[in-house]
Amino acid sequence: MQIDKLRGEQLDQLFDAILSLDTREECYQFFDDIATMSEIQSLSQRLHVAKMLTEGKTYSAIEQETKASTATISRVRRCINYGSDGYNLVLEKLNVK
């Protein structure tokens, strides 16, 4: 996993903080403080792209609906196909696949 390069106490603390949140409103509060609007938008856009890719949507349909670049769509596709299976894990947990 690429993220193994960052693995350590600081990243553990971040993930533990996220896992400690109980509600969507708590997530809004935390992410409002910890990330920029652009960072949050990019993360949510990538998840939406992943959902659409797993639904078999075309790049042009994804580009039109999400406003994601083809580079972003390709990167998400690569992660779905060759990554750590994180997108599939989350999409299955959300029952959106």
Side-chain angles (χ1 to χ4, degrees):
M1 286 193 285
Q2 291 182 37
I3 201 165
D4 282 338
K5 297 173 188 168
L6 302 175
R7 193 178 292 265
E9 189 176 331
Q10 276 187 309
L11 193 56
D12 287 351
Q13 185 177 10
L14 172 63
F15 291 158
D16 289 345
I18 293 168
L19 290 168
S20 76
L21 301 171
D22 292 319
T23 65
R24 184 175 291 142
E25 187 56 36
E26 287 180 355
C27 288
Y28 272 100
Q29 289 176 258
F30 180 65
F31 280 89
D32 189 42
D33 286 346
I34 199 166
T36 66
M37 297 296 289
S38 179
E39 291 166 334
I40 296 166
Q41 186 176 22
S42 292
L43 293 171
S44 64
Q45 180 187 64
R46 288 178 196 153
L47 183 59
H48 192 83
V49 166
K51 177 183 180 288
M52 292 183 75
L53 284 168
T54 60
E55 292 170 346
K57 303 289 189 232
T58 65
Y59 273 42
S60 64
I62 296 168
E63 207 175 358
Q64 187 174 13
E65 184 172 327
T66 67
K67 308 298 186 235
S69 68
T70 55
T72 295
I73 298 167
S74 294
R75 184 184 186 290
V76 172
R77 163 74 75 200
R78 202 168 32 257
C79 288
I80 289 170
N81 291 337
Y82 307 108
S84 301
D85 216 27
Y87 281 118
N88 289 323
L89 175 71
V90 167
L91 292 172
E92 285 174 12
K93 285 181 177 274
L94 295 174
N95 294 315
V96 293
K97 275 188 91 173

